[in-house]
Each structure stands twice: as structure tokens, then as C-alpha cells.
Amino acid sequence: MDARTVNARLRRGEELSAKELSWFAQGLAEGTVSPAQAGAFAMGVCLRGLSEQGRVALTLAMRDSGHVLDWDMDAPVIDKHSTGGVGDCVSLPLAPMLAACGVYVPMISGRGLGHTGGTLDKLEAIPGYNVSPDETRLREIVGDVGCAIVSASADIAPADKRLYAIRDVTATVESLDLITASILSKKLAAGLQSLVLDVKVGSGAFMKTADDARALASSLVSTANAAGCPTSALITDMNQPLASSLGNALEIDASMRVLTGKDTGPLLELTLALGAELLTTAGINDGAAKLQQALDSGEAAERFGRMVYALGGPLDFVENWQRFLPEAPVIREITATQSGTVTAIDGEALGLIVVDLGGGRRVETDQVNPAVGLTDVVRLGDKITKGQPIAVIHAAREAQAEAAAENLRRAITIGEGTAPQTPLMLERIT
Ligand code: URA
């Protein structure tokens, strides 16, 4: 077999066999497939598409290109994946809430991508938190605490690591086949027994239309199930930030407020919905009630604290989290220049404001500032009078706060009309 032949068959629209896809994924992982061949493959898949069978075969081949974890536990090993949004820190309260319900959650998470935040960047706002324990330590923590939120080690789906970087610079990120294989290869390599997907749609998501979100959700759900991992998806609204805080330390604070019963807004609502969906998929009944009990009893917060400590953070983080999180030197309230209703929020623009403040990366070598971001962001439909705050900017310098203020006023529309009333959960795909 050779890459030229595989690519020629792809170019002619012929169906690639599982053997060919497996050979190609292995070649990506081992470096025997060149960058040019990988780029041609990505473009071939983009233009010709794979069959459903081919999509499953590519996902399995990329999963098997590296180490696949397996677990021998006394309860299901499960996880959630979000396609990315702004103010979306569901993973942080969800993992310990699930662990408190008796299941195991080895949550392999990512860093910020484009305008969206990343769970690992958020956790690194906690002093000492190590996102890269070795596998032995990961197994110990998952066994003892029930959850660990960590990064993928280098040997998890290495074919995806290589192909993703090549897609990024060859205009081939957008293929449904490639997105599906990329997301699921990493999740399936964590050895999950069930998975729930949060597919976001709206101004702060990658998928801007319901049709695109439905297509991605259907592709992910059918491929994951065919690959042997019971999976369902919720399509959820991202036309405004999920939490009213955006930024790394600021989203840790938002998550701690959920875990300690101080916030009962949309972040909690979606965390409960995704958790209940996942527990149902894993065959556990009364998920919503169990998750609520995990919060009310304080056990979910306690599990979060144990996870933080086990991964190198402070022992008393849950009791004193505000003392440990970094604070930006410039904190500026931004007020409305006119009265009216909040009729639109450009979620992507808000995410990019956080990136500009230093809370995300423009190039992969950028250092993330954990302290910066936005808080107290208004919600769609809020009635505002002139001079009332619409958000608070947390910046490293005055000049950055100044630029953010201007962009913020452009991203939040206050007008005469009414705001679209979109439910948080739009559709369930099984
Ligand atoms: N996230 C991934 O991991 N891969 C993609 O292709 C897109 C989003």
C-alpha cells in the first residue's frame, strides 16, 4: 500500500477500505505519510467525502493510531464533549457531579480554539494544577476521586494531532468526516463506555445554523454508536454566553458558584441536562435528581476539591477559591449608551474580546493570561436604561480595557425590538 494510491482512489471517488484508512492513519502517526500526502488526503476527503462506513473506519483507525485506555471499573466510564462556545464551562461542574453519582469520568480536554475557551486553560488558572499527569497517576485519581480533567497525552490518537495541524493550514478543517473522526478518535481512545455531545449553535458557536449543527450532531452520534460507544447529543443555544463570565479564572469562579449552590442560571441548567442525558445513556435512572442531590449534599464540590488537590492544586481550594484565583489589575464597568432591550449578542465577538485581552491565543505559542475576561454580561431580552452596566471588563492594562470597551458596545445590541426567545436545549439526537 502507498499514500499515492490511496489518494488517487480518493480523488476518483472510490470507496476506501478499512485496511487502507488504517494504513493511512498509522502512516500519519509514524511519519511515513508526508505532509503533502496528508494535505492531499484531507482535501480529498473534503471534496469527495467518505461513506458512513468510511467515516467509522477512519475514526477507529485514528483512535487506534496510538494508545487506547481501557478501564476495569465497578461502574460506567463516561464523558461529555462540547463543540465549543463562549462562557461554556460545563465540564468543570459536570465531571465532579457525575463522579458523585458513582460513575467514572476520565475527561480528556482541550485548550482554547479560535474564539472559544478551553477547559485546560481554565484549570491552569488554579495555582499548581497539573493537566498532564502520567497514566498511572490518572488511573489512581479516577479510581479514588471518580474524575480527572486532564490533557491528552502525546500517544492518544497521534494521527489526529498530525492531521489536525495540517488541516488547519490547508483549508480542510470544515469537513464533517474529518471533524467527526478528529473529535471521536480522541474521546474513544479514552476508553469511554458512553458519551454525550453538546453541539452548540449560534453566534458564539462554530456552527451558526441549526442545519449545520444537526448535520454535525447526527454524524457524531451515528459514528460513535457504530464504533461501539453508546452516544447521544443535545443541540444547545449559543446565541449568548452560557455563563455571564468569560475568561479562564473567571469561569473557574462561575463553576465554583454552581458547585456551591450560588448560581442557578443557564450554566447549571445545561450541566444538569447534559449530565442526566449521559447517565440515561449509561443506563442509570433518575439522573437529574441524583445530580441535584450531588450538589445539594456538597459532595460534587468536595469531589472537585479532591481532584484539584490530587492534581497539585491547593487543599482548601473549594473553601477559599476566591483567594487563590488571580485578579486582573484593571476592572472597568461598561455602561449602556442608550436605553432599550438587549436584542442581539455577537458571541464570537465576545470570545474574541477575551482573546484580545490575553485570555486566549492568536498563535499557539502565546501565553494565556488567566485573570482577564468579562463578567456580568447582560442577557438577551434584558431591559437596560442608559448608563446601566452591560458588562465588566477585567484587563491587564488600561489600553486593552479601552479597546475591549469599544468592541463590547459593538457586540451587544440594545434596541427597540424584542430579543429572539430561543430555548437553551433545542434538539436531542439519538
Ligand atoms: N475539535 C476537534 O478536536 N477536531 C476538529 O476537527 C474540530 C474540533
Side-chain angles (χ1 to χ4, degrees):
M1 227 176 277
D2 78 310
R4 198 167 13 194
T5 312
V6 173
N7 278 333
R9 283 179 26 76
L10 188 56
R11 190 192 68 225
R12 292 194 293 266
E14 294 166 14
E15 169 102 32
L16 296 180
S17 67
K19 228 172 166 180
E20 285 169 308
L21 290 164
S22 166
W23 180 89
F24 206 93
Q26 212 56 46
L28 282 167
E30 288 164 5
T32 50
V33 164
S34 76
Q37 289 166 333
F41 176 81
M43 188 58 84
V45 174
C46 258
L47 295 177
R48 287 294 192 177
L50 296 177
S51 66
E52 215 169 302
Q53 249 177 333
R55 196 179 281 182
V56 175
L58 180 62
T59 302
L60 292 174
M62 297 212 327
R63 175 196 71 181
D64 295 338
S65 68
H67 182 50
V68 180
L69 294 174
D70 64 31
W71 300 91
D72 180 19
M73 308 302 258
D74 55 7
V77 176
I78 65 181
D79 196 6
K80 178 233 41 150
H81 176 81
S82 161
T83 56
V86 290
D88 174 13
C89 43
V90 165
S91 295
L92 300 166
L94 180 59
M97 283 163 69
L98 289 167
C101 293
V103 294
Y104 295 98
V105 190
M107 193 177 265
I108 310 279
S109 293
R111 301 207 173 263
L113 186 67
H115 64 279
T116 67
T119 303
L120 299 179
D121 295 328
K122 294 169 200 178
L123 283 166
E124 283 179 345
I126 300 175
Y129 193 103
N130 170 24
V131 299
S132 318
D134 63 25
E135 188 182 326
T136 309
R137 187 72 188 123
L138 169 66
R139 287 181 177 283
E140 276 169 11
I141 298 171
V142 171
D144 289 352
V145 181
C147 62
I149 310 178
V150 297
S151 67
S153 62
D155 53 0
I156 292 278
D160 176 63
K161 264 191 200 83
R162 185 129 181 270
L163 191 58
Y164 193 89
I166 286 167
R167 287 165 61 209
D168 200 23
V169 293
T170 52
T172 53
V173 170
E174 284 81 357
S175 149
L176 266 193
D177 297 311
L178 295 177
I179 294 174
T180 301
S182 169
I183 290 174
L184 290 180
S185 59
K186 288 172 288 210
K187 284 287 163 187
L188 299 180
L192 303 180
Q193 289 151 4
S194 39
L195 174 65
V196 70
L197 298 154
D198 179 9
V199 178
K200 304 231 163 263
V201 59
S203 68
F206 289 110
M207 298 293 160
K208 306 290 185 205
T209 70
D211 282 350
D212 285 348
R214 203 173 293 118
L216 178 58
S218 302
S219 168
L220 287 164
V221 167
S222 63
T223 305
N225 280 295
C229 179
T231 298
S232 59
L234 298 183
I235 298 180
T236 69
D237 180 59
M238 190 27 79
N239 279 305
Q240 57 185 331
L242 186 58
S244 63
S245 298
L246 287 71
N248 298 303
L250 298 169
E251 289 183 49
I252 295 282
D253 176 67
S255 305
M256 291 314 301
R257 293 174 58 76
V258 166
L259 280 170
T260 53
K262 295 181 174 65
D263 180 2
T264 54
L267 174 59
L268 171 64
E269 193 188 341
L270 185 57
T271 305
L272 287 170
L274 287 164
E277 178 69 30
L278 185 48
L279 290 174
T280 304
T281 308
I284 296 168
N285 296 326
D286 294 329
K290 288 184 170 120
L291 290 159
Q292 189 63 56
Q293 170 63 15
L295 281 178
D296 296 344
S297 64
E299 190 169 348
E302 197 234 340
R303 298 259 179 166
F304 188 83
R306 283 169 57 200
M307 174 184 77
V308 166
Y309 184 57
L311 284 160
L315 177 60
D316 56 340
F317 185 75
V318 168
E319 292 74 27
N320 297 305
W321 80 85
Q322 274 133 338
R323 189 148 63 73
F324 290 111
L325 292 176
E327 223 181 73
V330 180
I331 297 182
R332 169 118 58 97
E333 204 172 71
I334 304 305
T335 53
T337 51
Q338 66 179 92
S339 300
T341 303
V342 179
T343 55
I345 295 180
D346 183 340
E348 183 166 344
L350 292 186
L352 289 174
I353 289 171
V354 177
V355 174
D356 285 343
L357 286 167
R361 295 176 190 80
R362 290 245 169 240
V363 292
E364 62 189 66
T365 48
D366 281 349
Q367 288 291 316
V368 164
N369 183 335
V372 300
L374 304 172
T375 55
D376 305 279
V377 179
V378 286
R379 293 195 68 74
L380 287 171
D382 283 358
K383 304 267 182 255
I384 304 288
T385 48
K386 187 176 168 180
Q388 196 180 323
I390 53 171
V392 176
I393 293 173
H394 300 243
R397 288 192 297 276
E398 278 295 343
Q400 287 175 326
E402 195 66 44
E406 209 167 293
N407 291 332
L408 187 70
R409 287 206 174 95
R410 268 200 291 270
I412 296 176
T413 309
I414 299 172
E416 293 298 314
T418 53
Q421 289 301 310
T422 318
L424 188 51
M425 268 81 68
L426 299 158
E427 235 172 283
R428 178 168 177 259
I429 309 278
T430 55

